[in-house]
Amino acid sequence: KAGVTQTPRYLIKTRGQQVTLSCSPISGHRSVSWYQQTPGQGLQFLFEYFSETQRNKGNFPGRFSGRQFSNSRSEMNVSTLELGDSALYLCASSPGTSGRRDIQYFGAGTRLSVL
Amino acid sequence: DQQVKQNSPSLSVQEGRISILNCDYTNSMFDYFLWYKKYPAEGPTFLISISSIKDKNEDGRFTVFLNKSAKHLSLHIVPSQPGDSAVYFCAASANTGGFKTIFGAGTRLFVKA
């Protein structure tokens, strides 16, 4: 079974630009969550999608948005990029059948650098 | 406001000895706790979890202890092996429906051969 795939792996953008990151979950998984990892901050929860609906949201500004498609693939968009958005963005999928007691399977992440 | 805190950024242990990684939380609504392990250039992988109705859960060399009154949990690895060298994240969640898992900042474990 293929794992969680995130594309691209690396991205360099400049301030003010926007960026879209993609996540393909494990086949059959219906829940996709996004996290931002920065040094010293651990993984900060962005949002979770289940069956194309945003089910939970973290404390990030509205510049961060996401969506999920009918095949469970998910995209995350960041508009008006700031230097502080430089981070590793991780996507995690889970079956979605046992809620938060499901095990989350993470992709390798997209490393975003904002110059 | 860090609701899940891992106060030790790093820990060094000799192979064969016990590794103890600690985690504190502040939100009394958290009732499910997990540990994830992360190697460089890979995403985190699930290690072990514990529900608040228990105070201990074991899986092979890994044991998680939960002290609800102290809002503290710990991960014990016995015996430690060089392959255990990784960053360990503590995570917690409350019953909000679906995932809203709060992670700590991580502890980097070095196991010396």
Side-chain angles (χ1 to χ4, degrees):
Chain A
K1 211 177 206 183
V4 178
T5 304
Q6 291 189 245
T7 56
R9 289 295 308 277
Y10 303 92
L11 209 45
I12 299 176
K13 292 285 187 179
T14 56
R15 276 183 301 173
Q17 286 187 310
Q18 76 163 16
V19 67
T20 299
L21 312 181
S22 179
C23 173
S24 292
I26 291 172
S27 177
H29 285 192
R30 295 166 64 192
S31 170
V32 174
S33 299
W34 287 89
Y35 296 85
Q36 180 195 67
Q37 184 187 3
T38 52
Q41 292 294 314
L43 279 69
Q44 305 282 313
F45 174 77
L46 282 152
F47 28 66
E48 183 224 359
Y49 285 87
F50 178 79
S51 292
E52 302 179 67
T53 301
Q54 187 180 86
R55 189 160 61 172
N56 280 289
K57 189 176 186 307
N59 298 323
F60 277 80
R63 298 185 298 108
F64 292 82
S65 63
R67 59 178 175 169
Q68 186 180 35
F69 302 95
S70 58
N71 62 358
S72 292
R73 190 177 72 84
S74 178
E75 287 182 347
M76 190 192 92
N77 184 274
V78 188
S79 62
T80 320
L81 283 166
E82 300 177 359
L83 295 178
D85 296 333
S86 295
L88 179 67
Y89 289 89
L90 291 160
C91 163
S93 80
S94 72
T97 51
S98 301
R100 62 213 175 87
R101 280 165 171 73
D102 278 340
I103 293 172
Q104 288 185 283
Y105 297 84
F106 284 81
T110 294
R111 170 83 53 194
L112 172 65
S113 297
V114 182
L115 307 178
Chain B
D1 173 26
Q2 277 207 306
Q3 299 183 62
V4 178
K5 298 179 185 179
Q6 294 177 257
N7 292 320
S8 298
S10 65
L11 174 68
S12 186
V13 170
Q14 199 69 36
E15 181 181 8
R17 306 294 292 268
I18 183 171
S19 295
I20 300 176
L21 295 93
N22 293 304
C23 177
D24 297 296
Y25 61 96
T26 57
N27 189 339
S28 57
M29 297 300 291
F30 288 146
D31 62 355
Y32 194 66
F33 305 89
L34 311 94
W35 286 91
Y36 281 81
K37 178 168 75 172
K38 186 179 186 300
Y39 293 117
E42 295 181 12
T45 55
F46 171 77
L47 197 54
I48 192 169
S49 63
I50 188 167
S51 167
S52 62
I53 61 173
K54 294 186 174 182
D55 54 19
K56 177 182 172 181
N57 189 26
E58 277 182 87
D59 184 0
R61 296 186 297 113
F62 302 91
T63 303
V64 57
F65 295 92
L66 175 63
N67 183 332
K68 289 188 293 292
S69 59
K71 294 191 177 69
H72 177 84
L73 63 155
S74 61
L75 175 68
H76 293 209
I77 306 173
V78 185
S80 301
Q81 299 172 354
D84 296 329
S85 297
V87 177
Y88 289 78
F89 291 99
C90 168
S93 68
N95 189 10
T96 62
F99 283 103
K100 190 171 182 178
T101 307
I102 308 300
F103 282 77
T107 296
R108 185 176 295 277
L109 174 65
F110 299 93
V111 180
K112 297 176 287 188

